[in-house]
Amino acid sequence: MTPDELKEVALECGLPKFAASQIANWMYVRKVRSIDEMTNISKAGREALKDKYDLGVVPYIGLAESSDGTKKYLFPFESKESSAIEAVMIPDDDRATLCVSSQSGCKMACKFCMTGRQGFHGNLDAADILSQFIAVDEAHKLTNTVFMGMGEPLDNYDNVKRAIDVLTADWGFGWSPKRITVSTIGVLPNLRRYLDECRCHLAVSLHNPFPEERESMMPAQKAWDINNVLGLIREYDFTGQRRVSFEYTMFAGFNDDKRHADALARLLKGMECRVNLIRFHQIPDFPYGCPTQAVMEMFRDRLSRQGVTTTIRASRGEDILAACGMLAGKHAEKNRQQ
């Protein structure tokens, strides 16, 4: 809720209007997990709040920790008992990045993604999204977030936008938009809304420069052609603080040769952007594996020579099924109740 909405809550519960700012501070700055912790609100006021409202923080029901320090949290998706969502905390020196989910399952049906294979179970609302930030053990240490967990963020844009508003508001988490990246396959109507309304970074799941090959792996290509997606992105300025990057998962023998590198360089020519090459993490019943390190370096160097800034992303959390494309909402080794 926003401060204006919280004022209505305060009045409804017999509290003064200024209690709204106190409630917001407890929720978004101090990140409390129960109304009882709001100690500068009277006991009677807290009881009135509890009678009518829930704080909205859902405890995790499973936790797995990788040998590299990455942690994967399993949360219930309360509107559908048989489903769940996952969030991944990635530590890196002085950074702690939370990879958050925006949907349970996904409609996009990318063939190389475990989330896409399970189908769509429902949208998370803004509270479901923000709860992930507060319920993890590292709630007070988080420095960045990527909307790259389960689901297509721009297919649930209104809830994602509301969550971003809280993350970036002075009365909310107070984060700079530079600390937030939203990933998309290229949902065109909401992509324009996002670029007009948000100053956060953009990451586009590209994976193949040839439309017909991309469509064979990513059915959404048929609805939102990558050339049209790029045409829209070119209308916006990415020379300042907002950045655009392109995610390129590499599949041995499918999209990893010189022909693909050259086509990708042509596709992105003149754009101020970065390409992130991602190692494919093997999933069941999928015909391709990951290229060798030498092939990935060749691909990176060929793009770099043609003026495309390119990096090979370090793989994190593969041993706990927390790496790119592996989230399925049911794997949480070392489960424990919070």
Side-chain angles (χ1 to χ4, degrees), residues 183-300:
S183 176
T184 181
I185 203 171
V187 182
L188 279 171
N190 288 336
L191 176 58
R192 184 177 289 280
R193 289 181 62 194
Y194 173 72
L195 292 174
D196 285 340
E197 297 170 2
C198 293
R199 300 305 302 168
C200 305
H201 301 313
L202 173 68
V204 178
S205 297
L206 201 159
H207 309 308
N208 200 303
F210 298 109
E212 64 281 2
E213 292 183 16
R214 187 172 188 260
E215 186 179 336
S216 72
M217 287 278 195
M218 306 167 70
Q221 162 68 23
K222 189 171 184 179
W224 303 298
D225 186 284
I226 189 60
N227 290 295
N228 296 332
V229 173
L230 291 172
L232 173 60
I233 292 171
R234 287 181 184 275
E235 295 178 19
Y236 293 82
D237 180 17
F238 288 94
T239 59
Q241 293 187 335
R242 180 164 64 171
R243 300 191 304 268
V244 59
S245 59
F246 294 92
E247 312 298 293
Y248 195 95
T249 301
M250 298 196 69
F251 308 104
F254 179 74
N255 67 348
D256 62 343
D257 59 19
K258 296 176 181 178
R259 179 175 70 96
H260 289 89
D262 292 344
L264 184 58
R266 290 193 299 270
L267 193 67
L268 302 179
K269 185 176 181 180
M271 293 188 71
E272 190 72 28
C273 66
R274 175 184 298 273
V275 170
N276 291 317
L277 302 181
I278 301 169
R279 293 175 175 84
F280 174 62
H281 305 99
Q282 196 67 48
I283 60 175
D285 304 318
F286 188 78
Y288 299 102
C290 181
T292 64
Q293 179 71 14
V295 168
M296 293 191 70
E297 291 175 359
M298 176 278 296
F299 201 93
R300 176 199 63 194

Side-chain angles (χ1 to χ4, degrees), residues 69-107:
T70 298
K71 293 171 72 174
K72 181 173 71 169
Y73 292 89
L74 184 74
F75 294 98
F77 181 49
E78 297 192 320
S79 65
K80 190 177 177 73
E81 290 184 4
S82 61
S83 187
I85 61 167
E86 291 171 327
V88 179
M89 194 286 299
I90 307 165
D92 186 13
D93 295 329
D94 59 346
R95 291 163 61 103
T97 299
L98 191 68
C99 177
V100 295
S101 293
S102 56
Q103 296 178 318
S104 178
C106 186
K107 299 176 187 175

Side-chain angles (χ1 to χ4, degrees), residues 1-39:
M1 287 186 170
T2 66
D4 286 343
E5 292 166 336
L6 289 172
K7 285 179 184 177
E8 297 300 319
V9 168
L11 293 174
E12 180 185 359
C13 294
L15 294 167
K17 278 188 178 183
F18 68 77
S21 61
Q22 294 174 317
I23 296 170
N25 183 267
W26 284 113
M27 289 197 300
Y28 302 134
V29 180
R30 302 196 188 192
K31 301 178 177 61
V32 297
R33 301 180 185 186
S34 74
I35 291 172
D36 286 327
E37 295 178 69
M38 300 180 179
T39 52

Side-chain angles (χ1 to χ4, degrees), residues 146-162:
V146 290
F147 282 79
M148 294 183 184
M150 300 175 73
E152 162 56 61
L154 296 192
D155 187 47
N156 185 23
Y157 176 71
D158 289 337
N159 285 307
V160 168
K161 173 62 165 57
R162 188 173 175 90

Side-chain angles (χ1 to χ4, degrees), residues 41 60 73 115 130 136 230 234 249 272 320-322 325 330 337:
I41 295 173
Y60 60 81
Y73 292 89
T115 306
L130 291 169
V136 298
L230 291 172
R234 287 181 184 275
T249 301
E272 190 72 28
I320 56 168
L321 303 182
K330 59 183 180 182
Q337 294 292 324

